[in-house]
Amino acid sequence: MHKKIMHIFVIQFRLMKNSQLYKGSLNTIIMKLLEEQGRMYGYEITQKVKEITKGELNITEGALYPALHKLEAEGLLDVEVEKVDNRLRKYYKLTEKGTTETVNRLAELEEFIKNMQTIVNPKLSY
Amino acid sequence: MHKKIMHIFVIQFRLMKNSQLYKGSLNTIIMKLLEEQGRMYGYEITQKVKEITKGELNITEGALYPALHKLEAEGLLDVEVEKVDNRLRKYYKLTEKGTTETVNRLAELEEFIKNMQTIVNPKLSY
DNA sequence: TTCTTATGCATAACATTCTTAAGTATTTTT
DNA sequence: AAAAATACTTAAGAATGTTATGCATAAGAA
């Protein structure tokens, strides 16, 4: 019983960490990971992000899957369905267009980070 | 005529720079500036951000004013109305609660930036 | 062996944040 | 005199994400 309650708290704690700041960065994260890893499936992406951020960022399925579908619809991703251990996996990879676009988005992200650091810490920015 | 068309392009260019990445960071930006400057009015905030980011980030009025109203409603900001040159100005400053909350949000922002950098540039993060 | 957790994907309802656009009003610049 | 800048407001809609639910199989714990 105690164990169950504690587990609920742990889940709560993790979700609370997802502040509004991450809003808008999911697409860039997905594309960067695909650029780096070649190809990945949805669930794998959630685990990878959790690992990289030491559990601080948990991408929810309700955000991830629609995002992947949209990127595919925009021609930025290609998908290949595979059956592993009798379970479906949808592997995504960048198209040529997606690779080009990834460069742009990463540049935007760098600018964003730079601007935010300038705002937060004006002393350090010169 | 040429001048007018060019002006339209300039406006377009600037707005295009506002990528989705900034979504969710407006409150933190406002609070940080108020912590630093003591008190500011809305229009002043838009100009300050434009100046700091060298024109890369333009806070729209449709986002700013509702955000200020909400922060005030949450008890994080106090407002004082003043008339300068026959025009209204609403000066905002952090409440005690707002000052405390600003510390938390800045910490969250630092974590966010760190996580994003780790994702974008995994080599540099150890 | 049965219940739970993990793996794997999908989507609908709702919340939040922001863009776009329109409105009001005064002052300064062209 | 017209346009741009200053200064604030708010409504409609877009974009993004959370929460919740559903389905299905595999692996692990009780």
Side-chain angles (χ1 to χ4, degrees), chain A residues 1-12:
Chain A
M1 198 50 169
H2 273 311
K3 209 170 164 185
K4 185 138 197 166
I5 289 172
M6 276 190 52
H7 184 240
I8 291 168
F9 279 130
V10 169
I11 290 170
Q12 278 298 324

Side-chain angles (χ1 to χ4, degrees), chain A residues 20 41-43 61-62 65-66 69 87-90:
Chain A
Q20 299 286 1
Y41 56 99
Y43 188 78
E61 297 168 296
Y65 292 115
H69 300 162
R87 262 192 251 112
L88 271 193
R89 276 188 193 171
K90 291 199 168 181

Side-chain angles (χ1 to χ4, degrees), chain A residues 115-122, chain B residues 25-53 57 59 64 68 71 77 92-94 102 106 109:
Chain A
N115 281 329
M116 289 307 287
Q117 276 174 333
T118 306
I119 291 169
V120 171
N121 210 333
Chain B
S25 55
L26 179 56
N27 287 329
T28 307
I29 292 173
I30 292 171
M31 291 168 77
K32 168 61 192 173
L33 288 180
L34 289 179
E35 185 203 53
E36 186 185 303
Q37 305 285 319
R39 66 173 213 162
M40 298 179 86
Y41 56 99
Y43 187 79
E44 189 184 8
I45 293 175
T46 67
Q47 300 310 302
K48 184 75 182 173
V49 169
K50 205 178 289 184
E51 178 205 322
I52 292 176
T53 64
L57 176 54
I59 295 179
L64 177 67
L68 288 172
L71 289 171
L77 301 186
Y92 290 90
K93 66 168 193 284
L94 292 170
T102 300
L106 288 177
L109 179 58

